[in-house]
Amino acid sequence: MAKNIEYRDNTNKILALFESAKTRGLEAIGLAAEAQAKKEITYREAVDTGRLRNSITYALAGKEAHIKTYKASKGGKGRETYHYDGVAEGKKGSAVYIGTNVEYAPYVELGTVNMDPRPFLRPAAEENAEKYEKLMRQSLENA
């Protein structure tokens, strides 16, 4: 007597689990990179108002920034509130971006004719690549 064999295609469930794990991994990397960049800027620059440090955030591709608004820690003109608008470029869930919208950030990062560079974003990304790889691996393994 022949037995009936039933096959189920779970491809969509597996892909959904993978996407969810990838998003969790990117979130973990974003949080870690944000914290590291804030640590770098505090270490490399005599923080005046704290606006640059407070503005550092991350965003997953296709999503809004992790931090929506920020203020300077001290000083500043009436402690204005600054905002992030828009969505990070790229296909949703394909990457994580770390950065700031403070207009003078590139001059701090890269330096000027009159000021030495005090990089904070590049070291946060480059010097921690192994840590970020480990975070993603852990997220995928726990899926």
Side-chain angles (χ1 to χ4, degrees), residues 105-139:
Y107 304 114
V108 175
E109 178 81 17
L110 303 172
T112 67
V113 178
N114 300 314
M115 182 179 81
D116 289 336
R118 292 176 276 181
F120 57 98
L121 292 174
R122 229 171 323 138
E126 292 173 357
E127 295 172 11
N128 294 283
E130 288 180 15
K131 176 181 178 180
Y132 304 146
E133 183 181 330
K134 183 178 178 182
L135 288 169
M136 181 58 78
R137 191 177 316 110
Q138 287 173 339
S139 180

Side-chain angles (χ1 to χ4, degrees), residues 1 8 13 20 28-29 35 38 49 56-57 59 62 68 70-71 78 86 97 99 108 110 112-113 134 143:
M1 186 181 229
R8 247 183 256 153
K13 288 181 182 177
S20 178
I29 291 167
K38 287 178 177 183
T49 67
I56 298 169
T57 191
K68 305 284 189 291
Y70 61 93
K71 293 182 178 187
Y97 298 96
V108 175
L110 303 172
T112 67
V113 178
K134 183 178 178 182

Side-chain angles (χ1 to χ4, degrees), residues 91-102:
K91 181 182 170 201
K92 189 175 180 180
S94 63
V96 62
Y97 298 96
I98 180 85
T100 172
N101 65 350
V102 171

